[in-house]
Amino acid sequence: MLFWRPMDRRTVQLNIAGQSFKVVSTSAEQDLQRLASKVDEKMTEVTPRGRPAAPNAMLLAAMALAHDLEEERARRESLESRTRDVLRRALVRIDDALEGAEPSGSALAE
């Protein structure tokens, strides 16, 4: 018999750009801390030095991270496409080599 159990939810304290956020999640705390660190790094990039983070800095950081994600996806898709093409060409060459190595039908009949 199966019993439904709620996911193990926990509250995690995250610090981004000097602000503290409480997040309730089923994700591992170290994963959330790592992600918060990435957001904090991006906030540092989009906020001028020596100035406090503006209210729209979180939005700018989110946009920059989304842009980075799209670039990485495009690179991955390009690499996957090139890899498929290389494998396809290699398979054609292997098939051609195997066809050339097979004995002819007349030699089998003898």
Side-chain angles (χ1 to χ4, degrees), residues 1-80:
M1 178 178 217
L2 296 175
F3 293 97
W4 179 82
R5 285 182 34 197
M7 297 290 244
D8 187 21
R9 295 170 53 142
R10 66 186 77 52
T11 301
V12 178
Q13 192 80 25
L14 303 175
N15 291 303
I16 300 171
Q19 295 183 347
S20 183
F21 298 91
K22 284 185 180 179
V23 176
V24 177
S25 177
T26 58
S27 297
E29 181 173 354
Q30 69 189 101
D31 290 341
L32 293 171
Q33 293 292 349
R34 180 180 44 80
L35 294 171
S37 175
K38 294 286 185 191
V39 173
D40 190 58
E41 288 172 20
K42 197 54 79 169
M43 289 280 293
T44 301
E45 288 178 25
V46 301
T47 303
R49 284 188 178 251
R51 297 178 115 183
N56 65 345
M58 193 76 76
L59 172 62
L60 294 173
M63 296 294 288
L65 288 166
H67 180 261
D68 293 348
L69 177 63
E70 283 188 343
E71 284 182 337
E72 286 300 318
R73 282 185 178 159
R75 276 194 283 272
R76 178 187 48 85
E77 288 170 358
S78 175
L79 178 61
E80 287 174 352

